[in-house]
Amino acid sequence: MGKIVPRRRHAALLLVALSALAACSAGPSSRPVIAVHGDGAQTQTQAPAGARDIPPLGAMKSNLTWSQCTESTRLRMGATAPAGDQSYECARLVVRLDAPSRPGRGNLGLSLLKVGTGGSALVVVGDAGGEPGTVKAARLAASLPPALLSTFSLIGVDRRGTGKSDGVQCVPEVARAGIVEADPADPSQEDLLAAVGRASQECVLDLENRLPAVDSWRAAADLEAVREALGADHLNAIGVGDGSKVLTLYAGRFPDRVGRLVFDGAPDPTMDVPSAAEARAAAAEDAFEAFQKDCVVRGCALGADATRRFTELLSALRDRPLRGGEVDLTPGAAVSAVLAGLADRPRWPALADAVVAAETGNAGPLLEFVRPQVVDRDENPALFDAGFVTACNDTTTRVPPERVAGIAEDWRGRHPLFGGWFARRMLLCGPFPVPPLPETPKVGSAPPVLVLTTAADPVTPRSGTERAAQALPAGVVVGWQGGGHGALGQSSCAATAAREFLVDAVLPTNGTVCPP
């Protein structure tokens, strides 16, 4: 089957007293283990009580046909492609579509990327609405410890509907722009509801019976097909954000095939939709505060008044939006852009400069953070559609507009920068068909899972990731005190913990804290 396309155009950690220590140290049992300035955490070789043993690493015996794709992968990463001479290979894998109305029937193509020289496979799965797994794997390869890439080959997977896999491209660009541009402070929801209604209608018409097949449940089954194609006895994998949810579903469905798993941020499995949205609003406020502090430390042009200046920028854009081509810089687009920038920690300096540029009437730099959501670019489809369809297929909750209006008013008071935005995003699934959700098996017995949290993560808040770890038979938590979405690639301490676990089957002590 070809690509799914429209028929129509459619708390910083203080370590003064610890600086003399040569290695990580552990305090009393009531305190977390402290990792000092990026060193590895105190480790243990025994699995927690009740957990299955960590499986041995097996050799990859792939039956896939790989071809060089270094140039095209660097093009997809654009100006932010990492330095270095990494080489990438790509492959296609055909899996079952498995739409609810046609179980076991239909096919769908997945795009895979391989980087590294190791003989074992380490699969990378990302957020449905974020950077595709192939690109995420390429970026991680430039920042992870060399021992990882000599033990494993990273296998990035563009989960169904995303990236270069048979994609979901069903939302008209004008509807994407309308949703992104909608002012989160507008008491009227009419324009936003109109854009949301058109997005849902077009996806229903264009995808037909394929629509409900784009979800996390079937993405988990895709990973079993990937494991089989790689010839691996167990699935070793890194789940980034919502990708961790897919791996949790995989562990429930294929418990005997679970290998060494690392969750880099994970959605809260205990909260309903409104509670999870408010948790993200609060976490985004924390992330902006961390961004502001970082700005002060660096002496950036935004200075110590980032909150005030951003608020004033939104007011100015409310009076006079800045034209920007496919999408205009409105208050909604500015908030969307800042949220995207907060999640991408390496781009914080560019985000600060972009806000300053917008103050002077130059919309371009700030819109660069939001354009990937709206338009196809650098051989990547717009990110909005797959995230929208997957999120709405993963829940039966539909929040009525009148309730959203009340929640938005409340959250704008409690979370002034981002409360209204997160409240109004609950409107997106309103007109979307309610899916027939399968019964999800609990993860009964499994090997230990390394779970990384980030103190100020606007996508998967720390508290929710901790609860996701608690829901596992043996979730071992390492907490990075930094900001942004995900710790791998940002914290050498977190990367060391991941390397020791994945390569040597050595676990850090649960509750280890990594400095920012």
Side-chain angles (χ1 to χ4, degrees), residues 448-510:
V449 176
L450 178 60
V451 181
L452 307 177
T453 71
T454 298
D457 188 330
V459 180
T460 46
R462 173 176 58 183
S463 58
T465 300
E466 290 172 345
R467 280 188 283 271
Q470 292 164 6
L472 297 167
V476 179
V477 175
V478 171
W480 177 46
Q481 297 298 94
H485 182 36
L488 284 178
Q490 307 306 319
S491 165
S492 60
C493 165
T496 297
R499 189 261 302 163
E500 291 180 346
F501 171 62
L502 291 168
V503 175
D504 303 318
V506 174
L507 285 161
T509 298
N510 188 36

Short mmCIF file of all heavy atoms in Angstrom, two decimals, residues 448-510:
data_model
loop_
_atom_site.label_atom_id
_atom_site.label_comp_id
_atom_site.label_asym_id
_atom_site.label_seq_id
_atom_site.Cartn_x
_atom_site.Cartn_y
_atom_site.Cartn_z
N PRO A 448 13.52 -5.46 34.64
CA PRO A 448 13.54 -4.05 35.06
C PRO A 448 13.56 -3.12 33.85
O PRO A 448 14.13 -3.44 32.80
CB PRO A 448 14.84 -3.93 35.86
CG PRO A 448 15.19 -5.31 36.26
CD PRO A 448 14.68 -6.21 35.16
N VAL A 449 12.91 -1.98 34.01
CA VAL A 449 12.91 -0.94 32.98
C VAL A 449 13.56 0.30 33.57
O VAL A 449 13.21 0.73 34.67
CB VAL A 449 11.47 -0.61 32.52
CG1 VAL A 449 11.47 0.54 31.52
CG2 VAL A 449 10.80 -1.84 31.92
N LEU A 450 14.53 0.87 32.86
CA LEU A 450 15.15 2.12 33.30
C LEU A 450 14.28 3.27 32.84
O LEU A 450 14.01 3.42 31.64
CB LEU A 450 16.55 2.26 32.70
CG LEU A 450 17.30 3.55 33.03
CD1 LEU A 450 17.51 3.70 34.53
CD2 LEU A 450 18.63 3.61 32.30
N VAL A 451 13.82 4.09 33.78
CA VAL A 451 12.91 5.20 33.49
C VAL A 451 13.60 6.51 33.82
O VAL A 451 13.96 6.76 34.99
CB VAL A 451 11.59 5.07 34.28
CG1 VAL A 451 10.65 6.22 33.95
CG2 VAL A 451 10.92 3.73 33.99
N LEU A 452 13.81 7.35 32.82
CA LEU A 452 14.46 8.64 32.99
C LEU A 452 13.41 9.73 33.06
O LEU A 452 12.51 9.80 32.22
CB LEU A 452 15.41 8.92 31.82
CG LEU A 452 16.45 7.84 31.51
CD1 LEU A 452 17.27 8.24 30.28
CD2 LEU A 452 17.37 7.61 32.71
N THR A 453 13.51 10.58 34.07
CA THR A 453 12.61 11.73 34.19
C THR A 453 13.40 13.01 34.00
O THR A 453 14.61 13.05 34.19
CB THR A 453 11.91 11.77 35.56
OG1 THR A 453 12.87 12.11 36.58
CG2 THR A 453 11.26 10.44 35.91
N THR A 454 12.69 14.07 33.62
CA THR A 454 13.29 15.40 33.48
C THR A 454 12.49 16.37 34.33
O THR A 454 11.25 16.38 34.26
CB THR A 454 13.29 15.85 32.01
OG1 THR A 454 14.08 14.92 31.24
CG2 THR A 454 13.87 17.24 31.85
N ALA A 455 13.17 17.17 35.14
CA ALA A 455 12.50 18.01 36.14
C ALA A 455 11.50 18.96 35.51
O ALA A 455 10.40 19.15 36.04
CB ALA A 455 13.53 18.78 36.96
N ALA A 456 11.86 19.59 34.41
CA ALA A 456 10.96 20.56 33.76
C ALA A 456 10.72 20.10 32.33
O ALA A 456 11.29 20.62 31.38
CB ALA A 456 11.57 21.96 33.78
N ASP A 457 9.86 19.08 32.19
CA ASP A 457 9.54 18.52 30.88
C ASP A 457 8.11 18.91 30.52
O ASP A 457 7.16 18.46 31.16
CB ASP A 457 9.67 16.99 30.94
CG ASP A 457 9.53 16.33 29.57
OD1 ASP A 457 8.82 16.88 28.70
OD2 ASP A 457 10.14 15.26 29.37
N PRO A 458 7.93 19.75 29.49
CA PRO A 458 6.58 20.21 29.14
C PRO A 458 5.76 19.19 28.37
O PRO A 458 4.57 19.43 28.13
CB PRO A 458 6.86 21.44 28.27
CG PRO A 458 8.18 21.14 27.62
CD PRO A 458 8.97 20.36 28.63
N VAL A 459 6.34 18.08 27.98
CA VAL A 459 5.63 17.07 27.20
C VAL A 459 5.23 15.89 28.07
O VAL A 459 4.07 15.45 28.06
CB VAL A 459 6.48 16.59 26.00
CG1 VAL A 459 5.73 15.55 25.19
CG2 VAL A 459 6.87 17.77 25.13
N THR A 460 6.17 15.37 28.82
CA THR A 460 5.89 14.27 29.76
C THR A 460 6.38 14.71 31.13
O THR A 460 7.54 14.47 31.48
CB THR A 460 6.58 12.96 29.32
OG1 THR A 460 7.95 13.22 28.94
CG2 THR A 460 5.86 12.33 28.15
N PRO A 461 5.52 15.37 31.91
CA PRO A 461 5.94 15.90 33.21
C PRO A 461 6.55 14.84 34.12
O PRO A 461 6.18 13.66 34.07
CB PRO A 461 4.63 16.44 33.79
CG PRO A 461 3.77 16.74 32.61
CD PRO A 461 4.12 15.70 31.60
N ARG A 462 7.49 15.28 34.94
CA ARG A 462 8.23 14.35 35.80
C ARG A 462 7.31 13.49 36.66
O ARG A 462 7.50 12.27 36.75
CB ARG A 462 9.21 15.12 36.69
CG ARG A 462 9.90 14.25 37.74
CD ARG A 462 10.93 15.02 38.54
NE ARG A 462 10.34 16.16 39.21
CZ ARG A 462 11.06 17.04 39.94
NH1 ARG A 462 12.37 16.88 40.04
NH2 ARG A 462 10.47 18.05 40.53
N SER A 463 6.33 14.11 37.32
CA SER A 463 5.47 13.36 38.23
C SER A 463 4.73 12.25 37.49
O SER A 463 4.55 11.14 38.01
CB SER A 463 4.46 14.29 38.91
OG SER A 463 3.67 14.97 37.95
N GLY A 464 4.31 12.52 36.27
CA GLY A 464 3.61 11.50 35.49
C GLY A 464 4.54 10.37 35.09
O GLY A 464 4.14 9.20 35.10
N THR A 465 5.78 10.70 34.72
CA THR A 465 6.74 9.66 34.37
C THR A 465 7.05 8.79 35.57
O THR A 465 7.21 7.57 35.46
CB THR A 465 8.02 10.29 33.80
OG1 THR A 465 7.70 11.05 32.63
CG2 THR A 465 9.04 9.24 33.42
N GLU A 466 7.12 9.41 36.76
CA GLU A 466 7.35 8.63 37.97
C GLU A 466 6.20 7.66 38.22
O GLU A 466 6.41 6.50 38.60
CB GLU A 466 7.54 9.56 39.16
CG GLU A 466 8.86 10.33 39.12
CD GLU A 466 8.97 11.40 40.19
OE1 GLU A 466 7.92 11.75 40.79
OE2 GLU A 466 10.09 11.89 40.43
N ARG A 467 4.97 8.10 37.97
CA ARG A 467 3.83 7.21 38.14
C ARG A 467 3.83 6.10 37.09
O ARG A 467 3.41 4.97 37.35
CB ARG A 467 2.52 8.00 38.11
CG ARG A 467 2.22 8.68 39.44
CD ARG A 467 0.83 9.29 39.46
NE ARG A 467 0.78 10.53 38.72
CZ ARG A 467 1.03 11.73 39.25
NH1 ARG A 467 1.37 11.84 40.52
NH2 ARG A 467 0.95 12.82 38.51
N ALA A 468 4.31 6.42 35.89
CA ALA A 468 4.44 5.38 34.87
C ALA A 468 5.44 4.31 35.32
O ALA A 468 5.23 3.12 35.10
CB ALA A 468 4.89 6.00 33.54
N ALA A 469 6.51 4.73 35.98
CA ALA A 469 7.50 3.78 36.50
C ALA A 469 6.91 2.92 37.60
O ALA A 469 7.16 1.71 37.68
CB ALA A 469 8.73 4.53 37.00
N GLN A 470 6.10 3.55 38.46
CA GLN A 470 5.48 2.82 39.57
C GLN A 470 4.49 1.77 39.06
O GLN A 470 4.25 0.76 39.74
CB GLN A 470 4.78 3.80 40.51
CG GLN A 470 5.73 4.72 41.28
CD GLN A 470 5.04 5.92 41.89
OE1 GLN A 470 3.81 6.03 41.85
NE2 GLN A 470 5.82 6.83 42.46
N ALA A 471 3.94 1.98 37.89
CA ALA A 471 2.97 1.03 37.34
C ALA A 471 3.64 -0.20 36.73
O ALA A 471 2.96 -1.17 36.40
CB ALA A 471 2.10 1.73 36.29
N LEU A 472 4.95 -0.16 36.57
CA LEU A 472 5.68 -1.29 36.00
C LEU A 472 6.05 -2.28 37.10
O LEU A 472 6.16 -1.91 38.27
CB LEU A 472 6.96 -0.79 35.33
CG LEU A 472 6.79 0.15 34.13
CD1 LEU A 472 8.11 0.80 33.77
CD2 LEU A 472 6.22 -0.62 32.93
N PRO A 473 6.26 -3.53 36.76
CA PRO A 473 6.69 -4.49 37.77
C PRO A 473 8.01 -4.08 38.42
O PRO A 473 8.21 -4.33 39.61
CB PRO A 473 6.85 -5.80 36.97
CG PRO A 473 5.95 -5.65 35.80
CD PRO A 473 5.98 -4.19 35.46
N ALA A 474 8.90 -3.45 37.66
CA ALA A 474 10.19 -3.01 38.21
C ALA A 474 10.69 -1.82 37.42
O ALA A 474 11.52 -1.95 36.52
CB ALA A 474 11.20 -4.15 38.17
N GLY A 475 10.17 -0.63 37.73
CA GLY A 475 10.63 0.60 37.10
C GLY A 475 11.70 1.24 37.96
O GLY A 475 11.47 1.54 39.13
N VAL A 476 12.88 1.43 37.42
CA VAL A 476 14.02 2.02 38.14
C VAL A 476 14.20 3.45 37.63
O VAL A 476 14.50 3.66 36.46
CB VAL A 476 15.30 1.20 37.93
CG1 VAL A 476 16.48 1.83 38.66
CG2 VAL A 476 15.09 -0.24 38.41
N VAL A 477 14.01 4.43 38.52
CA VAL A 477 13.96 5.84 38.11
C VAL A 477 15.29 6.53 38.31
O VAL A 477 15.92 6.42 39.38
CB VAL A 477 12.86 6.58 38.90
CG1 VAL A 477 12.87 8.07 38.56
CG2 VAL A 477 11.49 5.99 38.58
N VAL A 478 15.72 7.26 37.28
CA VAL A 478 16.84 8.19 37.36
C VAL A 478 16.30 9.55 36.94
O VAL A 478 15.73 9.69 35.85
CB VAL A 478 18.01 7.78 36.44
CG1 VAL A 478 19.06 8.88 36.37
CG2 VAL A 478 18.65 6.49 36.94
N GLY A 479 16.43 10.55 37.82
CA GLY A 479 15.85 11.85 37.55
C GLY A 479 16.88 12.91 37.21
O GLY A 479 17.79 13.19 38.01
N TRP A 480 16.75 13.47 36.00
CA TRP A 480 17.63 14.57 35.60
C TRP A 480 16.99 15.88 36.02
O TRP A 480 15.81 16.12 35.76
CB TRP A 480 17.85 14.54 34.09
CG TRP A 480 18.69 15.68 33.57
CD1 TRP A 480 19.86 16.13 34.09
CD2 TRP A 480 18.42 16.50 32.43
NE1 TRP A 480 20.34 17.18 33.33
CE2 TRP A 480 19.48 17.42 32.32
CE3 TRP A 480 17.38 16.52 31.50
CZ2 TRP A 480 19.52 18.38 31.30
CZ3 TRP A 480 17.43 17.47 30.49
CH2 TRP A 480 18.48 18.40 30.39
N GLN A 481 17.78 16.76 36.64
CA GLN A 481 17.26 18.03 37.15
C GLN A 481 17.27 19.14 36.12
O GLN A 481 17.26 20.32 36.48
CB GLN A 481 18.08 18.46 38.38
CG GLN A 481 18.00 17.50 39.55
CD GLN A 481 16.58 17.37 40.07
OE1 GLN A 481 15.85 16.46 39.68
NE2 GLN A 481 16.18 18.27 40.92
N GLY A 482 17.27 18.80 34.87
CA GLY A 482 17.29 19.80 33.81
C GLY A 482 15.92 20.09 33.25
O GLY A 482 14.89 19.76 33.84
N GLY A 483 15.89 20.73 32.08
CA GLY A 483 14.64 21.10 31.44
C GLY A 483 14.64 20.73 29.98
O GLY A 483 15.69 20.59 29.34
N GLY A 484 13.44 20.56 29.43
CA GLY A 484 13.26 20.14 28.06
C GLY A 484 12.60 18.78 28.03
O GLY A 484 12.29 18.20 29.08
N HIS A 485 12.38 18.25 26.85
CA HIS A 485 11.71 16.96 26.71
C HIS A 485 12.75 15.86 26.54
O HIS A 485 13.30 15.68 25.45
CB HIS A 485 10.77 16.99 25.52
CG HIS A 485 10.00 15.72 25.31
ND1 HIS A 485 9.53 14.95 26.36
CD2 HIS A 485 9.62 15.06 24.16
CE1 HIS A 485 8.89 13.89 25.88
NE2 HIS A 485 8.94 13.93 24.56
N GLY A 486 13.00 15.12 27.61
CA GLY A 486 13.92 14.00 27.55
C GLY A 486 15.31 14.34 28.06
O GLY A 486 15.80 15.46 27.93
N ALA A 487 15.94 13.33 28.69
CA ALA A 487 17.27 13.50 29.28
C ALA A 487 18.39 12.95 28.41
O ALA A 487 19.51 13.46 28.44
CB ALA A 487 17.31 12.82 30.65
N LEU A 488 18.11 11.90 27.63
CA LEU A 488 19.16 11.33 26.78
C LEU A 488 19.61 12.36 25.75
O LEU A 488 18.81 13.03 25.11
CB LEU A 488 18.64 10.08 26.06
CG LEU A 488 18.54 8.82 26.91
CD1 LEU A 488 17.97 7.69 26.09
CD2 LEU A 488 19.90 8.42 27.48
N GLY A 489 20.89 12.47 25.59
CA GLY A 489 21.43 13.47 24.68
C GLY A 489 21.67 14.80 25.35
O GLY A 489 22.33 15.67 24.78
N GLN A 490 21.14 15.00 26.57
CA GLN A 490 21.32 16.25 27.31
C GLN A 490 22.12 16.04 28.59
O GLN A 490 22.92 16.89 28.97
CB GLN A 490 19.95 16.86 27.66
CG GLN A 490 19.00 17.04 26.50
CD GLN A 490 19.61 17.83 25.36
OE1 GLN A 490 20.29 18.83 25.59
NE2 GLN A 490 19.40 17.38 24.14
N SER A 491 21.90 14.93 29.26
CA SER A 491 22.56 14.65 30.53
C SER A 491 23.54 13.50 30.37
O SER A 491 23.15 12.38 30.04
CB SER A 491 21.51 14.28 31.59
OG SER A 491 22.11 13.69 32.72
N SER A 492 24.83 13.77 30.60
CA SER A 492 25.82 12.70 30.52
C SER A 492 25.60 11.67 31.62
O SER A 492 25.88 10.48 31.44
CB SER A 492 27.23 13.27 30.60
OG SER A 492 27.44 13.97 31.83
N CYS A 493 25.06 12.11 32.75
CA CYS A 493 24.74 11.22 33.85
C CYS A 493 23.66 10.23 33.43
O CYS A 493 23.77 9.02 33.65
CB CYS A 493 24.30 12.05 35.05
SG CYS A 493 23.48 11.15 36.37
N ALA A 494 22.58 10.73 32.83
CA ALA A 494 21.51 9.86 32.37
C ALA A 494 22.01 8.92 31.28
O ALA A 494 21.65 7.74 31.23
CB ALA A 494 20.34 10.69 31.86
N ALA A 495 22.86 9.44 30.38
CA ALA A 495 23.40 8.61 29.31
C ALA A 495 24.28 7.49 29.87
O ALA A 495 24.27 6.36 29.36
CB ALA A 495 24.19 9.46 28.33
N THR A 496 25.05 7.79 30.93
CA THR A 496 25.88 6.77 31.56
C THR A 496 25.02 5.68 32.18
O THR A 496 25.31 4.48 32.05
CB THR A 496 26.79 7.40 32.63
OG1 THR A 496 27.67 8.33 32.00
CG2 THR A 496 27.59 6.35 33.36
N ALA A 497 23.94 6.09 32.85
CA ALA A 497 23.02 5.11 33.44
C ALA A 497 22.44 4.21 32.35
O ALA A 497 22.32 2.99 32.52
CB ALA A 497 21.92 5.82 34.21
N ALA A 498 22.05 4.81 31.23
CA ALA A 498 21.49 4.04 30.12
C ALA A 498 22.53 3.10 29.54
O ALA A 498 22.23 1.93 29.25
CB ALA A 498 20.96 4.98 29.04
N ARG A 499 23.76 3.57 29.38
CA ARG A 499 24.81 2.72 28.83
C ARG A 499 25.10 1.53 29.73
O ARG A 499 25.21 0.39 29.26
CB ARG A 499 26.07 3.55 28.60
CG ARG A 499 27.17 2.82 27.83
CD ARG A 499 28.24 2.24 28.75
NE ARG A 499 28.85 3.27 29.57
CZ ARG A 499 29.56 3.02 30.66
NH1 ARG A 499 29.70 1.77 31.09
NH2 ARG A 499 30.08 4.00 31.36
N GLU A 500 25.22 1.77 31.04
CA GLU A 500 25.52 0.68 31.97
C GLU A 500 24.40 -0.36 31.99
O GLU A 500 24.65 -1.56 32.09
CB GLU A 500 25.77 1.23 33.37
CG GLU A 500 27.06 2.03 33.47
CD GLU A 500 27.30 2.59 34.86
OE1 GLU A 500 26.36 2.58 35.68
OE2 GLU A 500 28.44 3.03 35.13
N PHE A 501 23.16 0.11 31.90
CA PHE A 501 22.04 -0.81 31.90
C PHE A 501 21.95 -1.58 30.58
O PHE A 501 21.85 -2.82 30.55
CB PHE A 501 20.73 -0.04 32.15
CG PHE A 501 19.49 -0.87 31.96
CD1 PHE A 501 19.25 -1.98 32.76
CD2 PHE A 501 18.56 -0.54 30.99
CE1 PHE A 501 18.10 -2.76 32.58
CE2 PHE A 501 17.41 -1.30 30.81
CZ PHE A 501 17.19 -2.41 31.61
N LEU A 502 21.99 -0.87 29.47
CA LEU A 502 21.80 -1.50 28.18
C LEU A 502 22.97 -2.39 27.79
O LEU A 502 22.78 -3.49 27.25
CB LEU A 502 21.59 -0.44 27.10
CG LEU A 502 20.27 0.35 27.18
CD1 LEU A 502 20.30 1.55 26.24
CD2 LEU A 502 19.08 -0.57 26.84
N VAL A 503 24.19 -1.95 28.05
CA VAL A 503 25.37 -2.70 27.62
C VAL A 503 25.77 -3.76 28.63
O VAL A 503 26.04 -4.92 28.28
CB VAL A 503 26.55 -1.73 27.37
CG1 VAL A 503 27.83 -2.51 27.03
CG2 VAL A 503 26.21 -0.76 26.23
N ASP A 504 25.80 -3.38 29.93
CA ASP A 504 26.34 -4.26 30.97
C ASP A 504 25.29 -4.89 31.87
O ASP A 504 25.64 -5.65 32.78
CB ASP A 504 27.33 -3.47 31.85
CG ASP A 504 28.46 -2.84 31.03
OD1 ASP A 504 28.96 -3.52 30.12
OD2 ASP A 504 28.80 -1.66 31.29
N ALA A 505 24.01 -4.58 31.65
CA ALA A 505 22.92 -5.10 32.49
C ALA A 505 23.10 -4.71 33.94
O ALA A 505 22.74 -5.45 34.86
CB ALA A 505 22.80 -6.62 32.35
N VAL A 506 23.66 -3.52 34.19
CA VAL A 506 23.86 -2.99 35.53
C VAL A 506 22.88 -1.86 35.77
O VAL A 506 22.83 -0.89 35.00
CB VAL A 506 25.31 -2.49 35.72
CG1 VAL A 506 25.48 -1.82 37.07
CG2 VAL A 506 26.29 -3.65 35.58
N LEU A 507 22.10 -1.99 36.84
CA LEU A 507 21.06 -1.02 37.13
C LEU A 507 21.55 0.08 38.06
O LEU A 507 22.31 -0.20 39.00
CB LEU A 507 19.86 -1.70 37.80
CG LEU A 507 18.95 -2.54 36.91
CD1 LEU A 507 18.12 -3.48 37.77
CD2 LEU A 507 18.05 -1.62 36.10
N PRO A 508 21.13 1.32 37.83
CA PRO A 508 21.38 2.35 38.84
C PRO A 508 20.47 2.14 40.04
O PRO A 508 19.49 1.39 39.96
CB PRO A 508 21.02 3.65 38.11
CG PRO A 508 19.99 3.24 37.12
CD PRO A 508 20.36 1.82 36.70
N THR A 509 20.80 2.77 41.15
CA THR A 509 19.92 2.72 42.32
C THR A 509 18.67 3.53 42.04
O THR A 509 18.75 4.66 41.55
CB THR A 509 20.64 3.26 43.56
OG1 THR A 509 21.78 2.42 43.82
CG2 THR A 509 19.73 3.24 44.78
N ASN A 510 17.52 2.94 42.35
CA ASN A 510 16.26 3.64 42.10
C ASN A 510 16.22 4.96 42.86
O ASN A 510 16.54 5.03 44.05
CB ASN A 510 15.10 2.75 42.56
CG ASN A 510 13.75 3.31 42.18
OD1 ASN A 510 13.61 3.90 41.11
ND2 ASN A 510 12.76 3.13 43.02
#
